[in-house]
Amino acid sequence: VESKLKLEYDFLGEQQVKNIAKPVRAYKVLLEPGQALTRTERALRKLARGWRKGALVAMAAVLVALVAALAWNLYRQSVVESALAAFEKEAAFPLPEKPSIAVLAFQNMSNDPQQEYFSDGLSENIITRLTGLSGLLVIARNSSFKYKGQPVDVRQVGRELGVRFVLEGSVQQAAGQIRINVQLIDAATGNHLWAESYDRQMQDVFAIQDEITEEVVTELAVQLTSGEQARLYHRGTDNIQANTLFLRALKDFRVMKRGANHQARIRLEKALALDPDYSAAYMLLSIS
């Protein structure tokens, strides 16, 4: 009828018709002249249809992603709550209301066993800094260091010490370089909350201690008073030689023998000669 009737037609594309195997080209009859679309209008209409279809597909994909994320978060929350309930049931002590943490003795990865004083000292410094925060319960060194040199399951450590979080790490130093690996673990689930590797110069060890402490405070959302914030950013000494002497003296002091105690005093006096404002050295010297 295209050439027999004075009508215009709008092509609707190929349509699948019942009982006909091949698609049929279909047209819309335009009863009034001038209604037929131009080639440009036809292309724009096709583009608009494609855009609407793409937009609907994108919206559907976003909706599916949101539903999946919500379902995953609900599932993960239920798993954490279930694990925490089991953890609290098996824990030797009831968990406190505020965040609680045990800092394990950092492992000495250096070839020299004599460097163990340094890894122990790093762990102790972090314990000391965290202990000064009222919004955090920190297990004492004597309790957390009993796992030193043992392959431990942090979930077992948490249950035995009654803490929710465990900080563990390793230290390796050579030729003035130091590498510290550290990780914060949720003892209830065994999940890693935060982990970091520090490759620095030896003199940066004080900054590393600060960064580790600050990351723990941030991850556990510990509330700090203004005074605690000031103490958190205050170091005992910036002199690496004085700090090394202090850590060696601390190790000697813990031997609890007269000769070792005398050696500790000598090292502390040398440390104070290098840094006369080193308060921790004065404190240890007073009880040596």
Side-chain angles (χ1 to χ4, degrees), residues 112 114-118 237 239-255 257-276 278 280-282 284-286 288:
D112 183 6
Q114 297 298 321
Q115 296 296 326
E116 194 165 309
Y117 77 91
F118 185 82
T237 181
N239 190 305
I240 188 65
Q241 291 180 309
N243 182 68
T244 299
L245 287 165
F246 173 80
L247 294 177
R248 289 183 179 276
L250 187 61
K251 184 176 181 180
D252 291 334
F253 175 75
R254 290 205 171 99
V255 173
K257 291 184 178 179
R258 179 174 296 180
N261 199 62
H262 176 70
Q263 184 63 41
R265 292 185 62 86
I266 293 174
R267 285 177 168 149
L268 290 169
E269 289 168 353
K270 289 181 179 179
L272 289 169
L274 293 170
D275 185 355
Y278 196 176
Y282 280 114
L284 187 58
L285 183 62
S286 68
S288 297

Side-chain angles (χ1 to χ4, degrees), residues 160-263:
E160 293 179 354
L161 298 181
V163 294
R164 175 73 186 273
F165 306 101
V166 174
L167 185 74
E168 63 177 7
S170 62
V171 183
Q172 184 176 9
Q173 55 173 319
Q177 295 288 122
I178 184 171
R179 170 177 292 178
I180 298 175
N181 295 311
V182 61
Q183 51 192 1
L184 179 65
I185 304 172
D186 185 337
T189 63
N191 294 335
H192 287 66
L193 301 179
W194 166 76
E196 188 62 78
S197 180
Y198 300 90
D199 288 292
R200 306 276 184 85
Q201 296 292 325
M202 189 63 184
Q203 60 264 27
D204 294 332
V205 65
F206 305 110
I208 296 174
Q209 290 175 177
D210 290 342
E211 291 177 30
I212 293 174
T213 305
E214 291 159 19
E215 286 290 349
V216 170
V217 168
T218 300
E219 289 294 333
L220 303 188
V222 179
Q223 299 296 319
L224 303 178
T225 65
S226 57
E228 288 171 344
Q229 290 177 352
R231 289 196 299 273
L232 184 61
Y233 293 96
H234 175 72
R235 299 188 191 83
T237 181
D238 286 324
N239 190 305
I240 188 65
Q241 291 180 309
N243 182 68
T244 299
L245 287 165
F246 173 80
L247 294 177
R248 289 183 179 276
L250 187 61
K251 184 176 181 180
D252 291 334
F253 175 75
R254 290 205 171 99
V255 173
M256 303 298 289
K257 291 184 178 179
R258 179 174 296 180
N261 199 62
H262 176 70
Q263 184 63 41

